[in-house]
Amino acid sequence: MFLNHAIAYQLSWHLPAPLLATTAAENSPIILSGVLLTLVVIYVASKVGSEVAKRLDLPPVLGELVAGVIVGVSALHLVIFPEGGFTGSDSLIMTALQALNQLTPEAVQSIFDSQSEVISVLAELGVIILLFEIGLESDLRQLKEVGIQAIVVACVGVAVPFAAGTLGLMYFFHVAAIPAIFAGAALTATSIGITSKVLAELGQLKSKEGQIIVGAAVIDDVLGIIVLAVVASLAKKGEVDIINVFYLIVSAVTFLLGAILLGGLFNKTFVALVAKLQTRGNIIIPAFIFAFIMAFIGNAIHLEAILGAFAAGLVLDESDARKELDELIKPIADLIVPIFFVTVGARADLGVLNPAIPENRAGLLIAIFLVLIAIAGKLVTGWAVFGIPNINRVAIGVGMIPRGEVGLVFAGIGSASGVLNKPLEVSIIIMVILTTFLAPPFLRVAFGQSKDINMNEPVQM
Amino acid sequence: MFLNHAIAYQLSWHLPAPLLATTAAENSPIILSGVLLTLVVIYVASKVGSEVAKRLDLPPVLGELVAGVIVGVSALHLVIFPEGGFTGSDSLIMTALQALNQLTPEAVQSIFDSQSEVISVLAELGVIILLFEIGLESDLRQLKEVGIQAIVVACVGVAVPFAAGTLGLMYFFHVAAIPAIFAGAALTATSIGITSKVLAELGQLKSKEGQIIVGAAVIDDVLGIIVLAVVASLAKKGEVDIINVFYLIVSAVTFLLGAILLGGLFNKTFVALVAKLQTRGNIIIPAFIFAFIMAFIGNAIHLEAILGAFAAGLVLDESDARKELDELIKPIADLIVPIFFVTVGARADLGVLNPAIPENRAGLLIAIFLVLIAIAGKLVTGWAVFGIPNINRVAIGVGMIPRGEVGLVFAGIGSASGVLNKPLEVSIIIMVILTTFLAPPFLRVAFGQSKDINMNEPVQM
């Protein structure tokens, strides 16, 4: 028996050497190297960007986005993704790794894909943790107070840009109905993440305006995802799937109301559990189990993971362990959230704005139209607020402008499904970039104007 | 112009519907769902495991490993990896996601691969952060005091199991020279991670024994990786590549000595930088930029990323900002390190131990031999310590026993390169599992015996 094995061993190590070069085990340290280098670039960019923005008296998050643009597809090509049509050889980091490790082009591509996947998921975890933290910092009672206002603002903010965008594309630009509806739908969903971070930086997250904006952005995200599901069904089947629409509406409403109503129950379980645990991570691990389960449910019922994380934060907000959790989550958020903001900037290809290239001009006109509708369609929402004297209507309208990641989801799915062609897809991306870039400084101005007392004070965090 | 575009749009949305089902944009939320579910399983397992272990008066890390085995390939199939020869349909999480989302088998496989890649990298980041934290907690001056002892212990702990393992396999089991040398080499490297965490839990990290073990494990990891590189070259080319051996030895020595000698310089830069930053993450981001750069360098010079992270921790240990950093890194480590320990357990297939299956028996004998040599070969290192009266020699020997992740790297590369066939690969994995599982309770007993004063006190941490 041993002799047979000895022969087997002697045979087995005469396998050809090239096997070694293409295996996952061989590539795995290089994937890790790629992830580490990309994270170093992201962290350096986020710190340089946020510190420069801070010194220019702009919100740090704007600096992180601009720094992301600089290290991304538009300029340095350090942080790029295969979804942008790039291959491993376009990435400076991959080129460096290839030179260091003498890789074959196939290995470079496979490492680039894996590394990009990891960074993408880390960015998604970043926005989940951001929304969890924002949920923790939000006061549920205040959100209830502005509930009806938030619903009205959200509905106006979905209906106006959707209708104006779709009809404008069809009548002025002769776009066919389905892509026009899809692009119109891409104008609907406000990005909670960017606005919330700017509001927190301005110390306005708990103001009436801040609570209406965040509340409306949450509702409007739900409405936006419903619109996306409907429009995607429309494009796929040529008809609106009523059962799916009904299922999505019911699940979204049940999910958010359920989370808020069952909040007390979750809280008691959470506090009792934390008190019984004796090993390290006794608060942070149960909190993240809850947040990730809620994010998973949000994702599984075809809403958004970030909605689940936000609901989880809102629920634990009421908990007695909150203060400690608030402190523990800060370093985690500081480490993971910048990955989201820098990659949002990195993915945005400002090159498509270049009017010197004739092919860009057709898209450019559509882009200008979409940007104008995107801004005007959300700005009017401020005047939908009723019964609150001295409310800052401009600030609410401006706070609803940024589209961020949800708009990018529309562009991605629309382009992948073939509903949108390149100029229309690019126009949506330009709309997302401009609304995201313009909203933070506009928001500062809008809040600065109405709060003269704060004009000469330094900006809070 | 607009009319032409209108025609283009009308054509473009008549693309076939199946396109929608296979795109990355469509799969991306499901990959995120898979990652979230896997993290929830890992966190629940790690908390249940560590709390049960704590109540049984065992080190929490042992509970995390056992919980990992239970959720992994050996039992529940919740956390499995493609490297174990598994496909998406073997994973319970993927089966659940498939049912939820009506996925094609190809989509399931692609999502499974991406999700596994993300979890693998998170586990690698976990061990990097663990070693960074351990480096921060270690006192460099103490490590210098036991430097020579650590070198002697490390050299004995590499030479004895390497020689005994290789010769034993060749003469008792008639294994050919190259695979025998490779398996012998797999016995050399002590796992710093597992021993360090157990030592920290026992409050023994700063004891003479603890410092010698950690110091020796660091040196022995370097020696082990050098041996791996040499043996892999040997297997690939049929000869020892002297230039490569020389390059590896020089780079390892330069790297560690350089990090320690230049520590003061890094420190001043770090402290000055932290003082100037005004935005969130002013301590944690520069610290992680440094740790990740060091980990990248460790990886790039074909040593180990964890060595770089450990060196980074040692250097920042001397820094004035250390106390604050110590507090900030705890919640991050609590969140990411369990991913490493649970996946180490999850990857270990205890099924290959089953003696009821006849094919397992040949490997089982080799496994028993390797385990005995692995334990005895490290146990003797305690008696290599000289000139320190009343030193706990058994504790040092036992502390060097666990092989953990480095042993698994040997098994992975050996099997991928064709040097090792299945029974020998499985024997190495069994050796890694058993030494990893046995060392923590043995270490507690070894320290308990010599420190009677602690016998009735509750375990620290």
Side-chain angles (χ1 to χ4, degrees):
Chain A
M1 187 177 75
F2 286 139
L3 202 65
N4 284 345
H5 274 280
I7 291 166
Y9 285 121
Q10 279 167 333
L11 285 173
S12 70
W13 68 270
H14 285 296
L15 285 172
L19 258 180
L20 203 67
T22 53
T23 57
E26 185 81 347
N27 282 345
S28 145
I30 306 171
I31 293 170
L32 180 63
S33 281
V35 170
L36 289 172
L37 267 191
T38 309
L39 288 178
V40 167
V41 168
I42 287 173
Y43 288 149
V44 170
S46 96
K47 266 286 135 273
V48 171
S50 60
E51 292 290 326
V52 168
K54 181 88 182 172
R55 277 155 183 78
L56 295 174
D57 219 13
L58 288 165
V61 63
L62 190 64
E64 289 183 33
L65 276 171
V66 173
V69 169
I70 293 170
V71 297
V73 291
S74 306
L76 299 181
H77 278 224
L78 285 162
V79 181
I80 57 175
F81 294 89
E83 297 87 53
F86 290 99
T87 60
S89 55
D90 297 316
S91 155
L92 272 190
I93 287 178
M94 290 311 306
T95 310
L97 288 178
Q98 181 171 24
L100 268 173
N101 299 283
Q102 287 98 42
L103 301 168
T104 62
E106 295 76 35
V108 168
Q109 193 52 40
S110 140
I111 292 165
F112 176 62
D113 289 344
S114 296
Q115 174 220 286
S116 303
E117 191 62 57
V118 172
I119 298 293
S120 296
V121 172
L122 284 176
E124 290 179 276
L125 292 177
V127 70
I128 286 172
I129 291 169
L130 174 69
L131 268 284
F132 183 47
E133 194 190 16
I134 288 169
L136 282 171
E137 284 170 2
S138 300
D139 191 327
L140 200 59
R141 283 160 294 253
Q142 271 194 321
L143 194 66
K144 279 175 192 159
E145 275 171 37
V146 296
I148 292 169
Q149 301 288 351
I151 291 172
V152 172
V153 167
C155 290
V156 171
V158 166
V160 174
F162 185 23
T166 303
L167 297 177
L169 285 175
M170 288 174 73
Y171 291 104
F172 297 140
F173 298 94
H174 308 286
V175 174
I178 298 270
I181 291 172
F182 205 100
L187 301 176
T188 57
T190 294
S191 162
I192 319 175
I194 287 158
T195 294
S196 302
K197 199 171 175 189
V198 175
L199 286 172
E201 285 165 2
L202 296 174
Q204 292 286 357
L205 202 55
K206 300 203 172 190
S207 69
K208 268 264 168 306
E209 290 86 357
Q211 291 292 311
I212 292 177
I213 293 169
V214 172
V218 172
I219 299 162
D220 149 303
D221 209 358
V222 179
L223 296 176
I225 301 296
I226 293 171
V227 171
L228 174 61
V230 173
V231 174
S233 300
L234 203 79
K236 248 193 290 187
K237 302 187 185 173
E239 58 175 18
V240 181
D241 180 343
I242 298 290
I243 294 166
N244 195 28
V245 172
F246 183 74
Y247 162 79
L248 282 164
I249 293 172
V250 168
S251 57
V253 172
T254 310
F255 181 65
L256 273 182
L257 286 185
I260 291 166
L261 293 175
L262 293 174
L265 189 67
F266 282 130
N267 250 335
K268 277 178 197 150
T269 317
F270 174 71
V271 173
L273 192 68
V274 165
K276 279 198 186 119
L277 298 180
Q278 298 169 11
T279 52
R280 269 186 68 165
N282 65 321
I283 295 178
I284 208 80
I285 295 285
F288 271 88
I289 290 175
F290 182 55
F292 284 173
I293 287 176
M294 293 290 278
F296 168 74
I297 296 173
N299 219 359
I301 60 178
H302 300 286
L303 297 172
E304 285 275 282
I306 52 173
L307 269 179
F310 180 69
L314 279 181
V315 167
L316 292 186
D317 170 53
E318 313 272 307
S319 120
D320 302 334
R322 190 198 99 169
K323 262 217 159 132
E324 216 172 333
L325 185 56
D326 274 1
E327 282 308 303
L328 292 173
I329 206 176
K330 274 211 171 75
I332 295 170
D334 289 346
L335 196 68
I336 306 185
V337 175
I339 304 172
F340 169 67
F341 286 109
V342 172
T343 54
V344 166
R347 283 175 193 271
D349 185 1
L350 294 196
V352 295
L353 273 173
N354 183 2
I357 301 163
E359 301 91 77
N360 288 346
R361 285 175 200 156
L364 212 55
L365 281 175
I366 293 178
I368 291 167
F369 171 75
L370 285 184
V371 170
L372 292 177
I373 294 293
I375 292 173
K378 290 289 183 180
L379 208 51
V380 299
T381 62
W383 282 266
V385 177
F386 57 93
I388 305 178
N390 296 325
I391 192 93
N392 189 334
R393 295 181 190 278
V394 175
I396 292 177
V398 170
M400 299 298 292
I401 289 177
R403 301 311 198 282
E405 69 281 18
V406 183
L408 293 175
V409 169
F410 271 85
I413 294 185
S415 126
S417 66
V419 177
L420 301 173
N421 63 7
K422 200 79 193 167
L424 204 45
E425 181 208 343
V426 163
S427 298
I428 292 173
I429 291 175
I430 291 171
M431 179 279 294
V432 169
I433 295 170
L434 280 184
T435 55
T436 302
F437 270 64
L438 293 176
F442 281 11
L443 202 54
R444 278 201 85 241
V445 171
F447 273 114
Q449 279 172 344
S450 77
K451 310 240 165 181
D452 294 325
I453 206 161
N454 287 335
M455 282 296 274
N456 296 316
E457 279 180 20
V459 186
Q460 282 184 16
M461 236 299 292
Chain B
M1 187 177 75
F2 287 139
L3 201 65
N4 284 346
H5 274 279
I7 293 167
Y9 285 123
Q10 278 167 332
L11 284 173
S12 69
W13 68 271
H14 285 294
L15 285 172
L19 258 179
L20 203 66
T22 52
T23 58
E26 185 82 347
N27 282 343
S28 146
I30 306 171
I31 293 169
L32 180 63
S33 282
V35 170
L36 289 172
L37 267 192
T38 308
L39 288 178
V40 167
V41 168
I42 286 172
Y43 288 149
V44 170
S46 96
K47 266 284 135 274
V48 170
S50 61
E51 292 289 326
V52 168
K54 182 88 183 173
R55 276 154 185 79
L56 296 174
D57 219 12
L58 288 165
V61 63
L62 190 63
E64 290 184 32
L65 275 172
V66 173
V69 169
I70 293 170
V71 298
V73 292
S74 305
L76 298 180
H77 278 224
L78 285 163
V79 180
I80 57 175
F81 294 89
E83 298 86 54
F86 291 99
T87 61
S89 55
D90 296 315
S91 155
L92 271 190
I93 287 178
M94 289 312 305
T95 311
L97 288 177
Q98 183 171 23
L100 267 173
N101 298 283
Q102 288 98 43
L103 301 169
T104 62
E106 296 76 37
V108 169
Q109 192 53 41
S110 139
I111 292 165
F112 176 63
D113 288 343
S114 296
Q115 175 221 286
S116 303
E117 191 62 58
V118 172
I119 297 293
S120 296
V121 172
L122 285 175
E124 290 178 276
L125 292 177
V127 71
I128 286 172
I129 291 169
L130 174 68
L131 268 284
F132 183 46
E133 195 190 14
I134 288 169
L136 282 172
E137 285 170 2
S138 300
D139 191 328
L140 201 59
R141 283 160 294 254
Q142 270 194 321
L143 195 66
K144 278 175 193 160
E145 276 171 35
V146 296
I148 291 167
Q149 300 288 350
I151 291 172
V152 172
V153 167
C155 291
V156 172
V158 166
V160 174
F162 185 24
T166 304
L167 296 176
L169 285 174
M170 289 174 72
Y171 291 104
F172 297 140
F173 298 93
H174 308 287
V175 173
I178 298 271
I181 291 172
F182 205 99
L187 301 176
T188 56
T190 294
S191 163
I192 320 175
I194 287 158
T195 294
S196 303
K197 200 170 173 187
V198 175
L199 286 172
E201 285 164 3
L202 296 175
Q204 292 285 358
L205 202 54
K206 299 201 174 189
S207 70
K208 267 264 169 309
E209 289 87 356
Q211 290 293 311
I212 292 177
I213 294 169
V214 171
V218 172
I219 298 161
D220 150 303
D221 208 357
V222 179
L223 296 177
I225 300 296
I226 293 171
V227 172
L228 174 62
V230 172
V231 175
S233 300
L234 202 80
K236 249 193 292 186
K237 302 187 185 172
E239 57 174 18
V240 181
D241 180 343
I242 298 290
I243 294 166
N244 196 28
V245 172
F246 182 74
Y247 163 78
L248 282 164
I249 293 171
V250 168
S251 56
V253 173
T254 310
F255 182 64
L256 274 181
L257 286 185
I260 291 166
L261 293 175
L262 294 174
L265 190 69
F266 281 131
N267 250 336
K268 276 177 197 151
T269 317
F270 175 71
V271 173
L273 192 68
V274 165
K276 280 199 186 119
L277 298 180
Q278 298 168 12
T279 52
R280 269 185 68 165
N282 65 320
I283 295 178
I284 207 80
I285 293 285
F288 271 87
I289 289 175
F290 182 54
F292 285 172
I293 288 176
M294 292 291 278
F296 167 74
I297 295 173
N299 219 358
I301 60 178
H302 300 284
L303 297 172
E304 284 276 281
I306 52 174
L307 268 180
F310 180 70
L314 279 180
V315 167
L316 293 186
D317 170 53
E318 314 272 307
S319 120
D320 303 334
R322 191 199 99 170
K323 263 217 158 133
E324 216 173 333
L325 185 57
D326 273 359
E327 282 308 303
L328 292 172
I329 206 176
K330 273 210 173 77
I332 295 170
D334 289 346
L335 197 67
I336 305 186
V337 175
I339 304 172
F340 169 67
F341 286 110
V342 172
T343 54
V344 165
R347 283 175 194 271
D349 186 1
L350 293 197
V352 296
L353 272 174
N354 183 3
I357 300 163
E359 302 91 78
N360 288 346
R361 286 177 199 155
L364 212 55
L365 281 174
I366 292 179
I368 291 167
F369 171 75
L370 285 184
V371 171
L372 291 177
I373 294 294
I375 292 173
K378 290 289 184 181
L379 209 49
V380 299
T381 61
W383 282 266
V385 177
F386 57 93
I388 306 179
N390 296 323
I391 192 92
N392 189 334
R393 294 181 190 279
V394 175
I396 291 177
V398 169
M400 299 297 293
I401 288 177
R403 300 312 199 282
E405 69 280 16
V406 183
L408 294 175
V409 169
F410 271 87
I413 294 186
S415 127
S417 66
V419 177
L420 302 173
N421 63 5
K422 199 81 193 165
L424 203 47
E425 181 208 343
V426 162
S427 298
I428 292 173
I429 291 174
I430 292 171
M431 178 280 293
V432 170
I433 295 169
L434 280 184
T435 55
T436 303
F437 271 64
L438 293 176
F442 281 11
L443 202 54
R444 279 202 85 242
V445 172
F447 272 114
Q449 279 173 341
S450 76
K451 310 240 165 179
D452 293 325
I453 205 161
N454 286 334
M455 282 296 273
N456 295 318
E457 279 180 19
V459 186
Q460 282 187 17
M461 246 284 298

